Amino acid sequence: MREGTWVDRLRASLARTRQVFLSRLDELLARPADPAFYEELEVLLLEADLGVATTELLLERLRSRGDRKTPEVLRDSLRSELVELLGPPSSLRLDPPPAVILALGVNGSGKTTTAGKLACHLSARGKRVVLAAADTFRAAAIDQLEVWARRAGAELVRHREGADPAAVVHDAAQATLSRHADVLVADTAGRLHTKTNLMDELRKIRRVLVRLLPDCPWESLLVLDATTGQNALQQARQFREAAGATGVVLSKLDSSAKGGVVLAIGHQLGLPVKLVGTGEGPDDLEAFDPEAFVDALLPEA
């Protein structure tokens, strides 16, 4: 197990899932690998929030390996398949600067907090950051982002409540160019895929940015609340289709969350989990490491 404060927080955040999962898995591993064994393993994986499609694929792969000899062998096989499902680490596309990162998501997902944490994360790594408070429908979101901008030492571009979000992004893009900033992070309004006007607004924001920063690296990061389980998966599917999401930030991955949704997102949607938040502090956001995640969920025997 790799050491480090973030890995420790990740282990703590998955403690509930790990405790329930491992206690029942250890009981299963002591049994013969008959049809009843795989049926109970299926129930266990579903309860961990992997979802039906991901669970079925995982069981199919385990059966096809044909290496059910000892409990240790099956445990190692399960670990290997989980890492395979998650795929390799996927870093943020930030070079060459300036880069653009849009924070997408529904209200309550932790979207604005994540935008602020991301500014801190990037500033701590030597990046010059401009924050755009483009969620102009909520005065609280603008004020919240102002606090995060001070913490991060980032420049905040804000307009009054109710202003045109595209105008905010326009001014933020101009500031990014004039200040020679490395990254523009824009918080957008919380939206549902059924809100046509909000999706139209997002497309308008994208048009503004493409015009002003035509060749920049681009990330549209969907912020998902890990505690919502399979509902988060449904949101991801809708945003990928409607808003061109390039990756996922999993927020609120604390003791109340079921960690299996991470595997479902990667497998069913092909969207990489790029960042994960394990707390409320400015340092509680880190690049997602698939192997560290599996280590925290299912440690080696």
Side-chain angles (χ1 to χ4, degrees):
M1 181 69 188
R2 278 160 284 189
E3 299 297 326
T5 56
W6 179 76
V7 172
D8 293 338
R9 289 195 296 270
L10 180 63
R11 282 184 56 82
S13 71
L14 292 172
R16 178 185 174 188
T17 300
R18 183 174 60 251
Q19 181 179 7
V20 175
F21 185 76
L22 286 183
S23 63
R24 294 178 59 187
L25 180 64
D26 288 340
E27 292 177 5
L28 272 177
L29 292 179
R31 296 174 43 179
D34 55 16
F37 167 85
Y38 285 104
E39 287 177 6
E40 292 199 30
L41 181 58
E42 179 180 13
V43 172
L44 181 56
L45 295 172
L46 288 172
E47 289 179 351
D49 242 347
L50 269 73
V52 174
T54 306
T55 295
E56 288 179 349
L57 175 64
L58 190 57
L59 291 174
E60 179 183 343
R61 288 183 176 180
L62 287 173
R63 288 190 181 100
S64 67
R65 291 175 74 109
D67 53 7
R68 171 57 163 114
K69 299 176 181 177
T70 67
E72 292 77 14
V73 169
L74 181 57
R75 189 186 183 105
D76 288 344
S77 298
L78 183 56
R79 281 174 48 86
S80 297
E81 294 297 344
L82 292 176
V83 172
E84 182 71 20
L85 278 176
L86 288 170
S90 180
S91 58
L92 294 174
R93 290 173 288 187
L94 300 176
D95 293 313
V100 171
I101 300 176
L102 294 184
L104 313 172
V106 301
N107 288 332
S109 64
K111 172 182 56 62
T112 299
T113 297
T114 296
K117 284 184 182 180
L118 186 53
C120 291
H121 176 87
L122 295 169
S123 294
R125 287 153 181 79
K127 303 292 186 183
R128 297 183 298 276
V129 180
V130 172
L131 271 169
D135 184 356
T136 59
F137 295 98
R138 295 189 303 132
I142 300 173
D143 294 340
Q144 183 182 356
L145 212 58
E146 186 169 24
V147 172
W148 280 106
R150 287 198 296 269
R151 287 180 179 176
E155 179 173 348
L156 177 69
V157 177
R158 56 175 294 174
H159 289 188
R160 59 176 174 78
E161 182 183 1
D164 181 0
V168 178
V169 170
H170 176 279
D171 290 352
Q174 296 280 27
T176 299
L177 291 171
S178 63
R179 310 293 194 276
H180 302 288
D182 297 303
V183 188
L184 166 59
V185 179
D187 181 31
T188 63
R191 65 195 72 235
L192 293 172
H193 75 294
T194 54
K195 301 295 185 180
T196 303
N197 60 323
L198 290 175
M199 286 301 177
D200 288 343
E201 170 209 302
L202 185 56
R203 283 188 280 269
K204 183 179 177 182
I205 287 173
R206 291 174 65 92
R207 287 196 300 271
V208 168
L209 289 171
V210 168
R211 186 174 70 250
L212 293 174
L213 301 169
D215 300 317
C216 66
W218 189 288
E219 293 279 7
S220 294
L221 298 181
L222 176 57
V223 181
L224 295 175
D225 179 349
T227 64
T228 61
Q230 289 297 300
N231 287 334
L233 180 64
Q234 184 63 19
Q235 288 176 30
R237 181 175 291 108
Q238 294 158 352
F239 272 86
R240 184 194 61 176
E241 296 170 356
T246 60
V248 168
V249 180
L250 205 61
S251 71
K252 307 181 186 180
L253 187 62
D254 55 26
S255 59
S256 64
K258 294 182 179 180
V261 70
V262 178
L263 295 141
I265 290 169
H267 163 235
Q268 296 186 41
L269 301 181
L271 278 178
V273 177
K274 297 207 169 191
L275 298 161
V276 61
T278 56
E280 293 299 321
D283 298 327
D284 295 334
L285 183 73
E286 284 289 343
F288 181 67
D289 182 335
E291 290 190 15
F293 179 84
V294 173
D295 284 344
L297 182 64
L298 182 58
E300 290 180 298

PDB file of all heavy atoms in Angstrom, residues 151-175:
ATOM      1  N   ARG A 151      -8.399  31.954  -1.173  1.00  0.00           N
ATOM      2  CA  ARG A 151      -7.600  30.832  -0.669  1.00  0.00           C
ATOM      3  C   ARG A 151      -6.551  30.398  -1.692  1.00  0.00           C
ATOM      4  O   ARG A 151      -5.422  30.055  -1.335  1.00  0.00           O
ATOM      5  CB  ARG A 151      -8.505  29.633  -0.366  1.00  0.00           C
ATOM      6  CG  ARG A 151      -9.368  29.768   0.854  1.00  0.00           C
ATOM      7  CD  ARG A 151     -10.212  28.504   1.027  1.00  0.00           C
ATOM      8  NE  ARG A 151     -11.043  28.560   2.209  1.00  0.00           N
ATOM      9  CZ  ARG A 151     -11.927  27.618   2.539  1.00  0.00           C
ATOM     10  NH1 ARG A 151     -12.080  26.556   1.757  1.00  0.00           N
ATOM     11  NH2 ARG A 151     -12.649  27.733   3.629  1.00  0.00           N
ATOM     12  N   ALA A 152      -6.951  30.394  -2.948  1.00  0.00           N
ATOM     13  CA  ALA A 152      -6.076  29.882  -4.004  1.00  0.00           C
ATOM     14  C   ALA A 152      -5.101  30.932  -4.523  1.00  0.00           C
ATOM     15  O   ALA A 152      -4.162  30.583  -5.254  1.00  0.00           O
ATOM     16  CB  ALA A 152      -6.924  29.368  -5.165  1.00  0.00           C
ATOM     17  N   GLY A 153      -5.325  32.191  -4.183  1.00  0.00           N
ATOM     18  CA  GLY A 153      -4.520  33.248  -4.780  1.00  0.00           C
ATOM     19  C   GLY A 153      -4.817  33.410  -6.249  1.00  0.00           C
ATOM     20  O   GLY A 153      -3.949  33.786  -7.050  1.00  0.00           O
ATOM     21  N   ALA A 154      -6.081  33.112  -6.631  1.00  0.00           N
ATOM     22  CA  ALA A 154      -6.494  33.201  -8.029  1.00  0.00           C
ATOM     23  C   ALA A 154      -7.272  34.485  -8.264  1.00  0.00           C
ATOM     24  O   ALA A 154      -7.868  35.053  -7.347  1.00  0.00           O
ATOM     25  CB  ALA A 154      -7.363  31.997  -8.393  1.00  0.00           C
ATOM     26  N   GLU A 155      -7.295  34.933  -9.505  1.00  0.00           N
ATOM     27  CA  GLU A 155      -8.106  36.087  -9.861  1.00  0.00           C
ATOM     28  C   GLU A 155      -9.530  35.624 -10.139  1.00  0.00           C
ATOM     29  O   GLU A 155      -9.744  34.650 -10.860  1.00  0.00           O
ATOM     30  CB  GLU A 155      -7.548  36.788 -11.099  1.00  0.00           C
ATOM     31  CG  GLU A 155      -8.389  37.991 -11.524  1.00  0.00           C
ATOM     32  CD  GLU A 155      -7.758  38.797 -12.639  1.00  0.00           C
ATOM     33  OE1 GLU A 155      -6.566  38.565 -12.921  1.00  0.00           O
ATOM     34  OE2 GLU A 155      -8.460  39.642 -13.223  1.00  0.00           O
ATOM     35  N   LEU A 156     -10.502  36.328  -9.563  1.00  0.00           N
ATOM     36  CA  LEU A 156     -11.908  35.994  -9.769  1.00  0.00           C
ATOM     37  C   LEU A 156     -12.556  37.009 -10.689  1.00  0.00           C
ATOM     38  O   LEU A 156     -12.436  38.219 -10.487  1.00  0.00           O
ATOM     39  CB  LEU A 156     -12.657  35.979  -8.437  1.00  0.00           C
ATOM     40  CG  LEU A 156     -14.172  35.720  -8.536  1.00  0.00           C
ATOM     41  CD1 LEU A 156     -14.446  34.287  -8.982  1.00  0.00           C
ATOM     42  CD2 LEU A 156     -14.866  36.014  -7.204  1.00  0.00           C
ATOM     43  N   VAL A 157     -13.251  36.506 -11.694  1.00  0.00           N
ATOM     44  CA  VAL A 157     -14.061  37.357 -12.567  1.00  0.00           C
ATOM     45  C   VAL A 157     -15.526  37.080 -12.244  1.00  0.00           C
ATOM     46  O   VAL A 157     -15.988  35.944 -12.370  1.00  0.00           O
ATOM     47  CB  VAL A 157     -13.772  37.082 -14.053  1.00  0.00           C
ATOM     48  CG1 VAL A 157     -14.697  37.925 -14.940  1.00  0.00           C
ATOM     49  CG2 VAL A 157     -12.311  37.377 -14.375  1.00  0.00           C
ATOM     50  N   ARG A 158     -16.243  38.112 -11.802  1.00  0.00           N
ATOM     51  CA  ARG A 158     -17.631  37.955 -11.401  1.00  0.00           C
ATOM     52  C   ARG A 158     -18.446  39.136 -11.895  1.00  0.00           C
ATOM     53  O   ARG A 158     -17.923  40.239 -12.065  1.00  0.00           O
ATOM     54  CB  ARG A 158     -17.758  37.853  -9.879  1.00  0.00           C
ATOM     55  CG  ARG A 158     -17.160  39.017  -9.109  1.00  0.00           C
ATOM     56  CD  ARG A 158     -17.414  38.926  -7.630  1.00  0.00           C
ATOM     57  NE  ARG A 158     -18.823  39.060  -7.303  1.00  0.00           N
ATOM     58  CZ  ARG A 158     -19.325  38.897  -6.071  1.00  0.00           C
ATOM     59  NH1 ARG A 158     -18.516  38.593  -5.059  1.00  0.00           N
ATOM     60  NH2 ARG A 158     -20.609  39.041  -5.852  1.00  0.00           N
ATOM     61  N   HIS A 159     -19.721  38.910 -12.140  1.00  0.00           N
ATOM     62  CA  HIS A 159     -20.679  39.953 -12.447  1.00  0.00           C
ATOM     63  C   HIS A 159     -21.771  39.903 -11.380  1.00  0.00           C
ATOM     64  O   HIS A 159     -21.713  39.108 -10.446  1.00  0.00           O
ATOM     65  CB  HIS A 159     -21.281  39.744 -13.836  1.00  0.00           C
ATOM     66  CG  HIS A 159     -20.325  40.021 -14.958  1.00  0.00           C
ATOM     67  ND1 HIS A 159     -20.721  40.055 -16.276  1.00  0.00           N
ATOM     68  CD2 HIS A 159     -18.991  40.264 -14.973  1.00  0.00           C
ATOM     69  CE1 HIS A 159     -19.676  40.316 -17.049  1.00  0.00           C
ATOM     70  NE2 HIS A 159     -18.612  40.430 -16.284  1.00  0.00           N
ATOM     71  N   ARG A 160     -22.762  40.728 -11.534  1.00  0.00           N
ATOM     72  CA  ARG A 160     -23.870  40.732 -10.579  1.00  0.00           C
ATOM     73  C   ARG A 160     -24.708  39.458 -10.746  1.00  0.00           C
ATOM     74  O   ARG A 160     -24.669  38.779 -11.779  1.00  0.00           O
ATOM     75  CB  ARG A 160     -24.759  41.957 -10.819  1.00  0.00           C
ATOM     76  CG  ARG A 160     -25.341  42.002 -12.216  1.00  0.00           C
ATOM     77  CD  ARG A 160     -26.293  43.165 -12.409  1.00  0.00           C
ATOM     78  NE  ARG A 160     -26.713  43.258 -13.814  1.00  0.00           N
ATOM     79  CZ  ARG A 160     -27.616  42.480 -14.374  1.00  0.00           C
ATOM     80  NH1 ARG A 160     -28.209  41.537 -13.662  1.00  0.00           N
ATOM     81  NH2 ARG A 160     -27.948  42.628 -15.652  1.00  0.00           N
ATOM     82  N   GLU A 161     -25.498  39.153  -9.711  1.00  0.00           N
ATOM     83  CA  GLU A 161     -26.408  38.018  -9.784  1.00  0.00           C
ATOM     84  C   GLU A 161     -27.398  38.225 -10.935  1.00  0.00           C
ATOM     85  O   GLU A 161     -27.924  39.320 -11.133  1.00  0.00           O
ATOM     86  CB  GLU A 161     -27.183  37.881  -8.476  1.00  0.00           C
ATOM     87  CG  GLU A 161     -28.130  36.694  -8.440  1.00  0.00           C
ATOM     88  CD  GLU A 161     -28.929  36.636  -7.151  1.00  0.00           C
ATOM     89  OE1 GLU A 161     -28.755  37.531  -6.304  1.00  0.00           O
ATOM     90  OE2 GLU A 161     -29.728  35.682  -7.007  1.00  0.00           O
ATOM     91  N   GLY A 162     -27.628  37.183 -11.709  1.00  0.00           N
ATOM     92  CA  GLY A 162     -28.553  37.244 -12.824  1.00  0.00           C
ATOM     93  C   GLY A 162     -27.933  37.715 -14.124  1.00  0.00           C
ATOM     94  O   GLY A 162     -28.627  37.781 -15.142  1.00  0.00           O
ATOM     95  N   ALA A 163     -26.655  38.033 -14.112  1.00  0.00           N
ATOM     96  CA  ALA A 163     -25.980  38.481 -15.336  1.00  0.00           C
ATOM     97  C   ALA A 163     -25.858  37.325 -16.327  1.00  0.00           C
ATOM     98  O   ALA A 163     -26.049  36.148 -15.987  1.00  0.00           O
ATOM     99  CB  ALA A 163     -24.609  39.044 -14.996  1.00  0.00           C
ATOM    100  N   ASP A 164     -25.523  37.661 -17.555  1.00  0.00           N
ATOM    101  CA  ASP A 164     -25.347  36.653 -18.608  1.00  0.00           C
ATOM    102  C   ASP A 164     -24.087  35.836 -18.312  1.00  0.00           C
ATOM    103  O   ASP A 164     -22.983  36.387 -18.290  1.00  0.00           O
ATOM    104  CB  ASP A 164     -25.221  37.364 -19.958  1.00  0.00           C
ATOM    105  CG  ASP A 164     -25.066  36.384 -21.117  1.00  0.00           C
ATOM    106  OD1 ASP A 164     -25.059  35.157 -20.874  1.00  0.00           O
ATOM    107  OD2 ASP A 164     -24.936  36.860 -22.270  1.00  0.00           O
ATOM    108  N   PRO A 165     -24.214  34.521 -18.075  1.00  0.00           N
ATOM    109  CA  PRO A 165     -23.032  33.704 -17.780  1.00  0.00           C
ATOM    110  C   PRO A 165     -21.982  33.766 -18.886  1.00  0.00           C
ATOM    111  O   PRO A 165     -20.780  33.736 -18.609  1.00  0.00           O
ATOM    112  CB  PRO A 165     -23.600  32.295 -17.628  1.00  0.00           C
ATOM    113  CG  PRO A 165     -25.023  32.506 -17.244  1.00  0.00           C
ATOM    114  CD  PRO A 165     -25.452  33.728 -17.993  1.00  0.00           C
ATOM    115  N   ALA A 166     -22.422  33.846 -20.148  1.00  0.00           N
ATOM    116  CA  ALA A 166     -21.465  33.916 -21.249  1.00  0.00           C
ATOM    117  C   ALA A 166     -20.648  35.195 -21.189  1.00  0.00           C
ATOM    118  O   ALA A 166     -19.474  35.213 -21.588  1.00  0.00           O
ATOM    119  CB  ALA A 166     -22.205  33.813 -22.584  1.00  0.00           C
ATOM    120  N   ALA A 167     -21.250  36.288 -20.697  1.00  0.00           N
ATOM    121  CA  ALA A 167     -20.508  37.541 -20.552  1.00  0.00           C
ATOM    122  C   ALA A 167     -19.428  37.409 -19.478  1.00  0.00           C
ATOM    123  O   ALA A 167     -18.322  37.943 -19.623  1.00  0.00           O
ATOM    124  CB  ALA A 167     -21.467  38.681 -20.209  1.00  0.00           C
ATOM    125  N   VAL A 168     -19.745  36.689 -18.416  1.00  0.00           N
ATOM    126  CA  VAL A 168     -18.746  36.441 -17.371  1.00  0.00           C
ATOM    127  C   VAL A 168     -17.569  35.656 -17.940  1.00  0.00           C
ATOM    128  O   VAL A 168     -16.395  35.997 -17.723  1.00  0.00           O
ATOM    129  CB  VAL A 168     -19.372  35.668 -16.191  1.00  0.00           C
ATOM    130  CG1 VAL A 168     -18.302  35.358 -15.127  1.00  0.00           C
ATOM    131  CG2 VAL A 168     -20.510  36.457 -15.573  1.00  0.00           C
ATOM    132  N   VAL A 169     -17.886  34.611 -18.686  1.00  0.00           N
ATOM    133  CA  VAL A 169     -16.838  33.771 -19.273  1.00  0.00           C
ATOM    134  C   VAL A 169     -16.028  34.567 -20.298  1.00  0.00           C
ATOM    135  O   VAL A 169     -14.803  34.403 -20.397  1.00  0.00           O
ATOM    136  CB  VAL A 169     -17.466  32.513 -19.894  1.00  0.00           C
ATOM    137  CG1 VAL A 169     -16.451  31.752 -20.723  1.00  0.00           C
ATOM    138  CG2 VAL A 169     -18.029  31.613 -18.810  1.00  0.00           C
ATOM    139  N   HIS A 170     -16.689  35.430 -21.056  1.00  0.00           N
ATOM    140  CA  HIS A 170     -15.991  36.280 -22.022  1.00  0.00           C
ATOM    141  C   HIS A 170     -14.942  37.129 -21.309  1.00  0.00           C
ATOM    142  O   HIS A 170     -13.773  37.183 -21.725  1.00  0.00           O
ATOM    143  CB  HIS A 170     -16.994  37.176 -22.747  1.00  0.00           C
ATOM    144  CG  HIS A 170     -16.365  38.144 -23.698  1.00  0.00           C
ATOM    145  ND1 HIS A 170     -15.809  39.353 -23.274  1.00  0.00           N
ATOM    146  CD2 HIS A 170     -16.185  38.108 -25.046  1.00  0.00           C
ATOM    147  CE1 HIS A 170     -15.326  39.990 -24.311  1.00  0.00           C
ATOM    148  NE2 HIS A 170     -15.539  39.265 -25.402  1.00  0.00           N
ATOM    149  N   ASP A 171     -15.339  37.789 -20.218  1.00  0.00           N
ATOM    150  CA  ASP A 171     -14.404  38.642 -19.488  1.00  0.00           C
ATOM    151  C   ASP A 171     -13.301  37.806 -18.836  1.00  0.00           C
ATOM    152  O   ASP A 171     -12.144  38.254 -18.757  1.00  0.00           O
ATOM    153  CB  ASP A 171     -15.146  39.452 -18.434  1.00  0.00           C
ATOM    154  CG  ASP A 171     -16.042  40.520 -19.052  1.00  0.00           C
ATOM    155  OD1 ASP A 171     -15.970  40.730 -20.283  1.00  0.00           O
ATOM    156  OD2 ASP A 171     -16.821  41.143 -18.296  1.00  0.00           O
ATOM    157  N   ALA A 172     -13.654  36.609 -18.375  1.00  0.00           N
ATOM    158  CA  ALA A 172     -12.644  35.746 -17.755  1.00  0.00           C
ATOM    159  C   ALA A 172     -11.621  35.273 -18.784  1.00  0.00           C
ATOM    160  O   ALA A 172     -10.420  35.181 -18.495  1.00  0.00           O
ATOM    161  CB  ALA A 172     -13.323  34.548 -17.093  1.00  0.00           C
ATOM    162  N   ALA A 173     -12.079  34.982 -20.000  1.00  0.00           N
ATOM    163  CA  ALA A 173     -11.148  34.581 -21.058  1.00  0.00           C
ATOM    164  C   ALA A 173     -10.214  35.728 -21.414  1.00  0.00           C
ATOM    165  O   ALA A 173      -9.003  35.516 -21.631  1.00  0.00           O
ATOM    166  CB  ALA A 173     -11.931  34.123 -22.287  1.00  0.00           C
ATOM    167  N   GLN A 174     -10.756  36.936 -21.486  1.00  0.00           N
ATOM    168  CA  GLN A 174      -9.913  38.108 -21.747  1.00  0.00           C
ATOM    169  C   GLN A 174      -8.886  38.296 -20.645  1.00  0.00           C
ATOM    170  O   GLN A 174      -7.709  38.597 -20.907  1.00  0.00           O
ATOM    171  CB  GLN A 174     -10.796  39.361 -21.861  1.00  0.00           C
ATOM    172  CG  GLN A 174     -11.761  39.344 -23.042  1.00  0.00           C
ATOM    173  CD  GLN A 174     -11.084  39.722 -24.347  1.00  0.00           C
ATOM    174  OE1 GLN A 174      -9.895  39.528 -24.526  1.00  0.00           O
ATOM    175  NE2 GLN A 174     -11.870  40.250 -25.286  1.00  0.00           N
ATOM    176  N   ALA A 175      -9.311  38.105 -19.391  1.00  0.00           N
ATOM    177  CA  ALA A 175      -8.381  38.222 -18.263  1.00  0.00           C
ATOM    178  C   ALA A 175      -7.308  37.141 -18.321  1.00  0.00           C
ATOM    179  O   ALA A 175      -6.132  37.391 -18.014  1.00  0.00           O
ATOM    180  CB  ALA A 175      -9.147  38.131 -16.948  1.00  0.00           C
TER     181      ALA A 175
END
